[in-house]
Amino acid sequence: MPLFKWKKSREKFSDLDLKNRLGICVGIIFFSILSALSLYVSYIGISQNLFFDDESYYISESGILVPAILLSPFPLLMLLSGVQKVCNYKNEKTFFFMIRIMVFAIPICFFLMVVSSFYVEASLKNHGYTYCSWYKFSPTRSPDVWLKNSELCLKVHHYVVLDVEEWFEWHNEQGIEPQLDELKAFISKKNKEQGR
């Protein structure tokens, strides 16, 4: 396996020109951040969508985040490749190994995005949640919104969606069941603040 067989390179990092050394260092920083972000998104996707708290009154679901862990090898192996270059080792095998892994990981990831979306939706329905389209900020990009109490799904304009989301999240954090009258009053107040 190319990860465990590191061979010294004839070309030393210190022999590279400043532009290439700087590019490698920036690449290491970039792929470090991308690796951490990839793992964090995977954690959020799994913890909030597969193992959600069924005591929540409001869930913002995005099932496509669940299989994001399959994309983690790309930034991790690119990071390793940069470290190998800095430490004067050959990194070509690691790079080609990353390409081979990603050729399989990307199609599997897209397939699992579809499967996990259906699974998460079925799981939410089984736990008594109802889909509410009014609380989506954008019909194509924002996560789906699920409510424990379907009466709380009120028609709102897009300019108060984020406020309503924060209102529900506050109720989830406090463990207080949201009341319909409170929600109507909150939406009315926000509409007045917006001048509508």
Side-chain angles (χ1 to χ4, degrees):
M1 180 174 273
L3 297 177
F4 303 115
K5 297 177 182 174
W6 290 22
K7 293 182 180 176
K8 281 284 190 186
S9 175
R10 286 188 215 143
E11 182 182 47
K12 294 191 175 199
F13 180 73
S14 57
D15 295 339
L16 297 174
D17 63 356
L18 180 63
K19 183 179 175 183
N20 286 338
R21 282 187 288 173
L22 191 60
I24 291 170
C25 292
V26 168
I28 288 174
I29 293 168
F30 174 74
F31 285 113
S32 297
I33 293 169
L34 197 59
S35 297
L37 185 63
S38 170
L39 295 173
Y40 177 73
V41 165
S42 301
Y43 167 76
I44 293 297
I46 291 170
S47 67
Q48 290 185 356
N49 295 306
L50 287 184
F51 304 113
F52 59 89
D53 179 14
D54 62 352
E55 297 297 316
S56 296
Y57 304 104
Y58 165 93
I59 292 179
S60 180
E61 172 266 325
S62 185
I64 63 171
L65 296 179
V66 174
I69 191 84
L70 293 172
L71 300 178
S72 296
F74 169 69
L76 290 170
L77 289 171
M78 288 300 288
L79 173 63
L80 180 64
S81 179
V83 169
Q84 285 176 323
K85 196 70 170 171
V86 169
C87 295
N88 300 322
Y89 287 96
K90 293 182 179 179
N91 64 353
E92 292 83 12
K93 287 186 178 181
T94 304
F95 184 75
F96 289 122
F97 180 65
M98 181 269 307
I99 291 173
R100 283 189 298 204
I101 286 177
M102 295 314 293
V103 163
F104 293 105
I106 291 172
I108 291 170
C109 181
F110 284 115
F111 173 74
L112 288 178
M113 283 179 181
V114 173
V115 171
S116 68
S117 289
F118 284 118
Y119 173 79
V120 170
E121 285 182 23
S123 181
L124 286 166
K125 287 178 184 175
N126 288 340
H127 283 87
Y129 287 91
T130 306
Y131 174 72
C132 181
S133 64
W134 296 114
Y135 297 148
K136 287 181 71 167
F137 190 70
S138 162
T140 56
R141 293 177 302 205
S142 60
D144 291 337
V145 173
W146 295 79
L147 300 172
K148 194 78 160 178
N149 181 353
S150 62
E151 292 178 348
L152 297 173
C153 185
L154 303 175
K155 183 177 180 179
V156 295
H157 294 285
H158 68 281
Y159 53 84
V160 295
V161 168
L162 293 176
D163 296 320
V164 171
E165 181 180 348
E166 289 173 5
W167 186 84
F168 274 112
E169 287 177 358
W170 181 85
H171 280 78
N172 278 348
E173 290 170 5
Q174 301 299 318
I176 301 170
E177 185 173 354
Q179 300 300 317
L180 183 59
D181 295 336
E182 292 175 6
L183 179 59
K184 286 180 179 178
F186 178 78
I187 292 171
S188 176
K189 177 185 166 197
K190 288 298 173 182
N191 283 336
K192 286 179 185 173
E193 287 176 6
Q194 296 287 332
R196 301 199 185 249

